[in-house]
Amino acid sequence: SPCIRLVHIRDNKPSKAVSMTYTIGTKNIAPQPALLIRRRVKPSEIAATLAELFGRIFVHIQNNGGTISGQPFMRYIEWGPGLLTIEAGLPVASAIPGDGDIVMDSLPGGLVATTTHIGPYELLSQAHAAVQVWIHENGHQPAGSPWEVYVTDPADYPDPKDWKTDVFWPLAS
């Protein structure tokens, strides 16, 4: 089960020790069907919330004969200093009926700005900041909610320096 034991920590304090460099580019991606759950959380609650939600979605997919077709993701619907509205989800090969707060949706297709963050989750805000600045400096316009795809599972890669997270920001064509 991919990243079911994911630990996600968001620390809004600037890091004194590490400054990351990112390679940012654009690509066209296909829409990806996904089961997801939306929640409004404090930044300090992200880790526990994702662990709970990924587990619930995984069990729902298994119980309904579905097939996971990619890595877990979290999409930022609303990003504020006190509360975040997030969607935690797992991509699926084909549509599966939802149940309660588990809903069938999709990650959007189209043009995105993207980069890969390597390292601990508490430094992911640096990747988002770099992409946001790159979008502005390259004359693009954001066109939707950004998301993170957790490429590596901390259960398989216990050292945070080995964690890989892809960051996507939808762009206006």
Side-chain angles (χ1 to χ4, degrees):
S1 60
C3 293
I4 297 303
R5 292 166 283 187
L6 179 73
V7 177
H8 192 284
I9 301 167
R10 174 84 55 200
D11 182 353
N12 291 328
K13 298 175 198 154
S15 173
K16 295 176 187 164
V18 179
S19 180
M20 313 283 291
T21 301
Y22 296 95
T23 300
I24 302 164
T26 61
K27 65 181 175 178
N28 276 297
I29 60 172
Q32 175 64 62
L35 279 170
L36 57 86
I37 301 172
R38 183 178 284 199
R39 284 283 169 81
R40 190 150 172 85
V41 298
K42 296 177 187 173
S44 62
E45 298 170 342
I46 290 175
T49 300
L50 289 181
E52 173 205 343
L53 300 183
F54 289 149
R56 287 186 52 214
I57 296 167
F58 178 79
V59 168
H60 181 79
I61 292 168
Q62 295 300 308
N63 288 343
N64 287 278
T67 302
I68 296 171
S69 63
Q71 296 303 110
F73 67 88
M74 181 179 73
R75 182 167 39 181
Y76 294 93
I77 302 304
E78 182 184 336
W79 195 337
L83 292 173
L84 306 166
T85 302
I86 61 169
E87 291 177 337
L90 288 169
V92 292
S94 59
I96 298 171
D99 183 25
D101 60 350
I102 300 174
V103 297
M104 188 69 217
D105 199 348
S106 66
L107 288 173
L111 187 64
V112 296
T114 185
T115 194
T116 298
H117 171 79
I118 300 173
Y121 298 131
E122 66 260 14
L123 299 179
L124 265 165
S125 61
Q126 291 182 22
H128 283 278
V131 173
Q132 189 176 32
V133 168
W134 184 91
I135 289 169
H136 174 74
E137 289 177 349
N138 287 275
H140 294 286
Q141 293 295 318
S145 301
W147 69 90
E148 304 166 353
V149 174
Y150 305 107
V151 177
T152 54
D153 186 334
D156 297 329
Y157 298 88
D159 190 337
K161 75 174 178 49
D162 298 325
W163 296 349
K164 292 182 183 177
T165 307
D166 290 337
V167 174
F168 296 88
W169 281 60
L171 299 174
S173 299

